Structure formats: C-alpha cells, structure tokens
Amino acid sequence: MIFDAQTMQSRIIKIGASTKTNITALQQTAIIPTITTAEAKAGVDNNIVELVDIRTDQERDEYNIGGLHFELDELEDNLDEFKPGKTYVFYCSSGKRSGEAVKLLQQQLPGIKAYSLEGGLGSW
C-alpha cells in the first residue's frame, strides 16, 4: 500500500507471483527546502530574500504581503524573472502550492536558491 500524506490518497499495488513484478528500487522523493516565517521576515527586512506569491489573483486581492506574483500554472512561463544569486521564498495559503513551485524551479533552474514558506500564510 502506498499512502501520500500530502494528497491523502492511497493505492494498493499487488506484488509477487500474481503480477510477476520485481521491485528493485523506490522512486526518490524530492526534498523541498522550507524557511520559517521568522527567517523569511528577517530576510525581507535585510533585503536578502524576495517573496513570490504563488496564489491566485483573487487570493492575492484578499490578503497581500508583497513580492512577485505568479499563479502556479504561470510560473513556467516566467522563469526569466528569477536571477542567480538571489534567494526566493515562495508562499501560498498552506505551503503545498509553494512547495510545488520550489520543486519546479529546482528542476528548471537548478542554480536558483528557492524556499517554500513553512506553513504558508497561516504562519505569517
């Protein structure tokens, strides 16, 4: 049984004689770097961190703490906005979408330092 705690989904995979499947290795999970609210606020105050809001336009209109803004599905079209040598902190409501954004950035632009805000805006 495989259980994904982030999506709360589970799957049962039959292994052994009935499927004749040999599992030799499990897929590696991506490690998503996170940053605490206190660290992010200190970085913003010292101009060493740039915030990136990954929520929808409607969510941003309701509550905005600043920074760049791209919806998650627009991020890949705006990769040229991210410069080496800068540190970016992605945030969303809970931290899930910002984690996906960091994962995408790690794949597309491996030299960029990016973090997901731990706990999302709820912790801000």
Side-chain angles (χ1 to χ4, degrees):
M1 179 174 183
I2 297 174
F3 177 71
D4 185 335
Q6 286 186 325
T7 62
M8 300 300 287
Q9 293 179 340
S10 62
R11 255 188 251 159
I12 296 177
I13 299 174
K14 295 179 182 176
I15 302 173
S18 62
T19 61
K20 297 183 175 40
T21 302
N22 282 334
I23 296 177
T24 57
L26 297 176
Q27 182 177 355
Q28 296 294 318
T29 57
I31 297 172
I32 299 170
T34 60
I35 190 169
T36 66
T37 300
E39 292 169 327
K41 285 181 179 182
V44 169
D45 291 344
N46 295 319
N47 291 324
I48 57 173
V49 163
E50 179 148 7
L51 296 174
V52 183
D53 188 347
I54 209 72
R55 301 172 301 151
T56 64
D57 291 333
Q58 183 181 8
E59 288 174 298
R60 184 171 174 92
D61 290 342
E62 290 173 11
Y63 185 66
N64 178 8
I65 62 170
L68 298 171
H69 176 246
F70 310 107
E71 291 188 28
L72 182 57
D73 59 353
E74 299 170 348
L75 182 61
E76 206 161 357
D77 296 332
N78 292 287
L79 293 176
D80 57 333
E81 296 288 328
F82 300 97
K83 309 296 181 214
K86 291 185 85 174
T87 301
Y88 297 92
V89 174
F90 288 82
Y91 68 92
C92 64
S93 298
S94 65
K96 183 174 180 179
R97 286 176 286 176
S98 60
E100 290 300 314
V102 169
K103 195 183 326 179
L104 175 74
L105 219 65
Q106 286 176 333
Q107 292 169 350
Q108 299 292 325
L109 302 171
I112 301 293
K113 288 174 65 175
Y115 298 90
S116 174
L117 182 63
E118 198 173 275
L121 278 179
S123 67
W124 190 263

